[in-house]
């Protein structure tokens, strides 16, 4: 978790060597929990910012799993072992690790046996079944999240629905219902939402429709998270009118539901729990506002925000940050257009610029930057990752004093970080790194 996966694996090697040196002493002998921790270290390192330089961590993870399977460690893998290896895989890391691993010529390895990531994932699921290791909602969630193609996500979701043991794991090895917490404890909808997130990212409404139909056939109701992914999918294809129709539909209006059925074969009223309308939740409305702002549909976003206020809803901190980021993006985008207009005006009439400097008329960009500034005041503890784009938006819109104030604020925070770290001799901090 601290991007020190190599140190974690070194500790594992020392434990193994120590247990081999002291015959009969089992106190230092690594058990399944220790090897699962090593697999987790590999997974965390594989997803770190430096993962490109550490593709061997995925190879190491597979090496640990395969040795556990073959009895080389005198311990067998459990559900957590397989769930962790699935969490370490994604399409980019698989391709990189495959290139490094092909030179070994070990045809019995997961990485060498298959050239297709889908076959490796299915191979892991088959291995779990063959060994009597239980599969749960986390297993299928991690398997689906390894892909960016909705077709692969759909195929794995169908497998999850067909796997009755995955959601009834009392009698199987390595898992129990009490082990699952949070969203994972919700069962099949947790897995379906993973597939919806993949479909939403690519804006594949046909996949969204198929997932919702599959849930309806299985008498599984969608939840707030599901609705958010449907909104994101609509946002990614730029259909803000359909987003507005969905919000109206959640109030129980069948005419709005008919619009979604006609356009995308998506039946929201059929998918939500009966007698649950109206569904008016902050997370849903905030997601809709962000999606509209992403396509510069300011009027529609304002309409949704006004509806929120009428229903007594307020934006939470996470939603505020997302909307501020979109206002910053719009400010910088409109600023580019304003500069283009100013440069075109200068070419036509050189007298419009002072000392040869092009000064655009900041209108739309300034309005968006001021909106971001106004909303920034409501954020309790702004991070440097949020303050930085607001400062950039202010600069792009000609709000020089405001941008300077934000930079000074970040500078003071960085100085405080330096003073706090002076006792340890380590210089690190969010504001310092951003500056």
């Amino acid at each position: 978790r601290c991007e020190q996966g190599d140190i974690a694996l070194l500790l594992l090697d020392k434990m193994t060597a120590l247990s081999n040196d002291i015959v009969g002493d089992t106190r230092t002998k690594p058990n399944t929990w220790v090897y699962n921790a090593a697999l987790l270290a590999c997974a965390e390192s594989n997803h770190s910012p430096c993962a490109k330089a550490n593709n061997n961590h995925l190879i190491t993870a597979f090496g640990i799993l395969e040795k556990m399977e073959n009895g080389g460690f005198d311990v067998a893998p459990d559900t957590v072992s397989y769930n962790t290896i699935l969490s370490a895989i994604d399409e980019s890391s698989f391709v990189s690790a495959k290139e490094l691993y092909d030179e070994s010529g070990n045809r019995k390895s997961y990485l060498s046996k298959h050239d297709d990531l889908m076959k490796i994932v299915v191979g892991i699921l088959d291995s779990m079944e063959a060994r009597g290791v239980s599969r749960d909602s986390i297993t299928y969630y991690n398997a689906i999240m390894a892909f960016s193609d909705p077709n692969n996500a759909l195929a794995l979701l169908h497998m999850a629905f067909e796997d009755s043991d995955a959601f009834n794991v009392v009698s199987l090895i390595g898992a129990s219902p009490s082990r699952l917490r949070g969203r994972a404890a919700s069962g099949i909808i947790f897995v379906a939402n993973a597939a919806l997130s993949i479909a939403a990212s690519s804006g594949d409404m046909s996949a969204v429709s198929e997932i919702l139909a599959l849930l309806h056939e299985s008498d599984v109701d969608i939840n707030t998270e599901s609705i958010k992914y449907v909104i994101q999918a609509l946002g990614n294809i730029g259909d803000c009118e359909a987003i507005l129709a969905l919000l109206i539909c959640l109030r129980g209006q069948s005419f709005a539901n008919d619009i979604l059925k006609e356009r995308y074969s998506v039946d929201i009223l059929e998918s939500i729990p009966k007698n649950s309308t109206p569904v008016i939740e902050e997370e849903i409305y905030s997601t809709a506002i962000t999606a509209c702002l992403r396509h510069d549909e300011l009027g529609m976003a304002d309409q949704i925000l006004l509806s929120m206020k009428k229903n007594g809803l307020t934006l939470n901190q996470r939603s505020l940050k997302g909307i501020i980021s979109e206002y910053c993006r719009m400010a910088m985008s409109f600023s580019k257009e304003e500069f283009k207009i100013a440069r075109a005006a200068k070419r036509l009439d050189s007298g419009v610029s002072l000392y040869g400097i092009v000064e655009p008329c900041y209108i739309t960009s300034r309005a968006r930057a001021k909106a971001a500034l106004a909303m920034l005041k409501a954020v309790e503890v702004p991070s440097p990752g949020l303050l930085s784009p607001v400062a950039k938006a202010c600069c792009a819109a000609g709000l020089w004093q405001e941008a300077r104030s934000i930079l000074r604020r970040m500078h003071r925070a960085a100085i405080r970080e330096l003073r706090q770290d002076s006792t340890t001799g380590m210089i690190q901090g969010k504001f310092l790194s951003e500056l």
Side-chain angles (χ1 to χ4, degrees):
R1 292 174 182 174
C2 301
E3 299 175 19
Q4 300 293 330
D6 292 328
I7 296 176
L9 294 173
L10 183 63
L11 288 171
L12 177 63
D13 291 338
K14 286 183 177 180
M15 286 183 70
T16 306
L18 187 60
S19 65
N20 291 334
D21 291 341
I22 307 173
V23 180
D25 187 353
T26 59
R27 290 176 299 175
T28 58
K29 187 176 182 178
N31 55 17
T32 302
W33 187 91
V34 173
Y35 286 111
N36 286 346
L39 286 171
L40 181 60
C42 293
E44 295 285 350
S45 297
N46 199 51
H47 294 305
S48 73
C50 303
K52 288 184 178 178
N54 293 321
N55 289 316
N56 60 321
H57 284 148
L58 183 57
I59 297 172
T60 303
F62 272 109
I64 292 171
L65 178 67
E66 287 155 12
K67 205 163 182 180
M68 290 174 77
E69 288 183 334
N70 299 329
F73 292 137
D74 296 325
V75 294
D78 60 6
T79 302
V80 175
S81 311
Y82 288 105
N83 288 355
T84 305
I85 197 75
L86 286 169
S87 73
I89 306 171
D90 58 41
E91 290 167 342
S92 59
S93 64
F94 165 71
V95 172
S96 302
K98 188 81 171 63
E99 291 174 356
L100 290 172
Y101 199 74
D102 277 343
E103 299 175 3
S104 68
N106 179 9
R107 302 309 300 171
K108 293 183 179 180
S109 166
Y110 282 106
L111 285 171
S112 294
K113 251 191 297 191
H114 304 295
D115 292 324
D116 181 38
L117 179 58
M118 186 65 173
K119 290 179 180 178
I120 286 184
V121 170
V122 172
I124 291 171
L125 296 175
D126 289 344
S127 181
M128 293 178 75
E129 184 176 10
R131 294 171 183 277
V133 178
S134 63
R135 300 163 303 285
D136 57 21
S137 56
I138 297 175
T139 308
Y140 283 102
Y141 176 90
N142 289 347
I144 288 171
M145 294 306 291
F147 298 95
S148 59
D149 185 351
N151 293 321
N152 291 329
L154 270 169
L156 289 165
L157 182 61
H158 278 286
M159 288 179 64
F161 271 98
E162 292 166 5
D163 188 355
S164 57
D165 291 335
F167 305 97
N168 182 24
V169 295
V170 179
S171 61
L172 295 176
I173 301 170
S176 63
S178 61
R179 184 178 62 81
L180 299 177
R181 295 287 185 269
R183 294 184 306 155
S186 60
I188 194 65
I189 190 62
F190 174 65
V191 181
N193 283 341
L196 277 173
S197 72
I198 302 299
S201 297
S202 57
D204 191 335
M205 288 305 298
S206 63
V208 170
S209 173
E210 189 173 341
I211 294 166
L212 294 183
L214 185 60
L215 287 168
H216 178 66
E217 290 169 10
S218 305
D219 294 323
V220 179
D221 295 324
I222 62 174
N223 56 18
T224 299
E225 189 177 1
S226 314
I227 296 168
K228 284 167 58 181
Y229 286 132
V230 176
I231 291 172
Q232 287 173 13
L234 292 169
N236 282 334
I237 59 174
D239 195 346
C240 296
E241 287 182 0
I243 292 175
L244 198 58
L246 190 152
L247 295 179
I248 296 171
C249 170
L250 291 174
R251 292 174 175 272
Q253 300 294 327
S254 59
F255 79 90
N257 193 53
D258 291 338
I259 293 172
L260 295 171
K261 285 165 64 177
E262 187 177 326
R263 289 192 186 182
Y264 304 111
S265 301
V266 169
D267 193 332
I268 295 296
L269 291 180
E270 184 183 67
S271 302
I272 60 178
K274 291 180 180 179
N275 303 319
S276 64
T277 54
V279 180
I280 303 172
E281 296 187 21
E282 185 276 332
E283 288 182 61
I284 293 172
Y285 277 74
S286 297
T287 303
I289 291 170
T290 304
C292 291
L293 290 176
R294 193 165 289 134
H295 292 279
D296 301 332
E297 292 286 352
L298 193 61
M300 211 164 283
D302 284 340
Q303 190 176 343
I304 297 169
L305 185 59
L306 182 62
S307 179
M308 282 185 71
K309 291 178 179 177
K310 284 182 178 178
N311 287 284
L313 299 176
T314 55
L315 295 167
N316 63 28
Q317 292 295 302
R318 184 177 178 181
S319 302
L320 268 173
K321 292 171 186 177
I323 293 171
I324 289 169
S325 297
E326 288 304 319
Y327 271 118
C328 292
R329 181 196 58 78
M330 286 193 289
M332 289 185 277
S333 177
F334 281 113
S335 176
K336 289 178 183 178
E337 296 302 317
E338 289 163 350
F339 265 99
K340 286 179 183 178
I341 294 169
R343 282 194 291 268
K346 181 186 176 183
R347 283 195 295 270
L348 294 173
D349 183 7
S350 58
V352 298
S353 61
L354 183 64
Y355 305 115
I357 299 173
V358 176
E359 184 70 16
C361 294
Y362 303 108
I363 302 173
T364 309
S365 63
R366 184 163 290 182
R368 302 295 179 267
K370 285 183 175 179
L373 275 172
M375 297 189 84
L376 183 64
K377 294 176 182 177
V379 179
E380 294 171 359
V381 185
S383 66
L386 182 63
L387 290 170
S388 182
V390 174
K392 290 177 184 176
C394 289
C395 285
L399 298 172
W400 317 115
Q401 297 292 337
E402 290 83 351
R404 187 175 67 174
S405 296
I406 294 173
L407 287 175
R408 283 179 172 172
R409 179 178 178 179
M410 294 175 70
H411 186 255
R412 286 193 295 269
I415 290 173
R416 282 196 297 271
E417 288 175 348
L418 277 172
R419 288 173 180 169
Q420 289 169 1
D421 291 335
S422 62
T423 55
T424 61
M426 296 176 65
I427 299 176
Q428 57 184 358
K430 293 181 179 179
F431 284 93
L432 190 63
S433 60
E434 184 69 24
L435 288 173

